[in-house]
Amino acid sequence: MLVYSSGLDLSTSALRLLRRELTARRRRIGTRWRRLACGRQALMALAHLRCGHTFAQLAAGFGVGLATAHRYVTEAVGVLAVLAPTLRQAMAVAARKAFVILDGTLMPIDRIADDRPFYSGKHRKHGMNVQVLTDPFGKLIWASPALAGAVHDIQAARTHGLLDALSTGGIRCWADKACQGSGPSVRVPFSGRWNKLSAGKKAVNRAHAKIRALGEQAMATLKSWRLLRKLRCSTTRISDLVKAVLALELTASA
């Protein structure tokens, strides 16, 4: 395999964060020697998350074995996933905002046609459903664990306890039509065909769409991590991958 130098469009703060956490983990578990130093292991994990490089590519680029590359990246992802905010922590942040924006996204996966639980009829592809909460400016606050793509957005929000948390905290939330019936805390646009809506309802829907458009920036931020554009791993790992990306993004924007 040919090897060449490349670069990552990430801040050094992401590298420092992951290197610090990996160093602390090695001290905690009493690691004496590793093939790669903490900084190189952190760089390998960031290359995997940001660019979607395979373990074979990483192993060749960093001069380690395939199993070692897999083990190092998995360890780094687990370290980052722990840093991601819980729903309770996210609600504490959301309570200080004027309102929050809720939206769902589908993380595409490489499933076969028989894997119907992962097939999203809305998007017509296999994937994992992830609910994302942002502030009024589109800054990420929280991302949910990944559920099968066949799960509807409102069902996913209920499964994660998000709707109850918003209602209990009295937090105003803007969402799309998929969340109709979510309760008084969640505001959704008027349903129905556009040409049959009254002028007042059309004006409300336009204003609602302008507010929710800022939430789409968070989706674009997540998909800027190329690994999340097409996941080719076990579905049990996807929640940790999303949490790891969320932790890095929150650190970079802090």
Side-chain angles (χ1 to χ4, degrees), residues 102-171:
L102 171 64
D103 202 356
T105 186
L106 187 78
M107 300 293 179
I109 59 176
D110 59 342
R111 298 286 97 176
I112 61 177
D114 290 337
D115 294 326
R116 302 304 296 177
F118 300 101
Y119 184 78
S120 170
K122 175 182 177 181
H123 299 276
R124 297 184 179 180
K125 63 176 69 173
H126 293 84
M128 300 294 286
N129 183 305
V130 175
Q131 299 297 303
V132 177
L133 206 63
T134 72
D135 69 6
F137 302 101
K139 179 181 176 181
L140 285 164
I141 296 178
W142 177 77
S144 73
L147 297 177
V151 178
H152 195 272
D153 282 349
I154 189 172
Q155 181 182 350
R158 285 172 176 161
T159 300
H160 300 309
L162 179 57
L163 300 182
D164 290 338
L166 291 171
S167 178
T168 302
I171 301 169

Side-chain angles (χ1 to χ4, degrees), residues 38-208:
C38 293
R40 295 289 288 172
Q41 182 183 357
L43 186 60
M44 175 189 286
L46 292 177
H48 178 66
L49 293 171
R50 189 66 174 180
C51 303
H53 293 326
T54 65
F55 294 120
Q57 291 172 321
L58 294 172
F62 285 84
V64 296
L66 183 61
T68 301
H70 185 281
R71 185 171 65 253
Y72 278 9
V73 170
T74 301
E75 180 184 39
V77 168
V79 166
L80 288 172
V82 175
L83 302 179
T86 63
L87 180 58
R88 183 175 181 179
Q89 292 170 331
M91 289 299 102
V93 174
R96 299 194 295 268
K97 308 294 182 180
F99 62 90
V100 294
I101 302 171
L102 171 64
D103 202 356
T105 186
L106 187 78
M107 300 293 179
I109 59 176
D110 59 342
R111 298 286 97 176
I112 61 177
D114 290 337
D115 294 326
R116 302 304 296 177
F118 300 101
Y119 184 78
S120 170
K122 175 182 177 181
H123 299 276
R124 297 184 179 180
K125 63 176 69 173
H126 293 84
M128 300 294 286
N129 183 305
V130 175
Q131 299 297 303
V132 177
L133 206 63
T134 72
D135 69 6
F137 302 101
K139 179 181 176 181
L140 285 164
I141 296 178
W142 177 77
S144 73
L147 297 177
V151 178
H152 195 272
D153 282 349
I154 189 172
Q155 181 182 350
R158 285 172 176 161
T159 300
H160 300 309
L162 179 57
L163 300 182
D164 290 338
L166 291 171
S167 178
T168 302
I171 301 169
R172 294 190 299 171
C173 176
W174 264 249
D176 60 14
K177 294 179 182 179
C179 290
Q180 286 185 348
S182 299
S185 296
V186 181
R187 300 189 178 186
V188 297
F190 290 104
S191 60
R193 293 183 177 275
W194 182 259
N195 57 0
K196 293 185 178 180
L197 294 177
S198 64
K201 290 183 177 180
K202 288 181 179 179
V204 170
N205 282 7
R206 287 194 192 97
H208 192 281

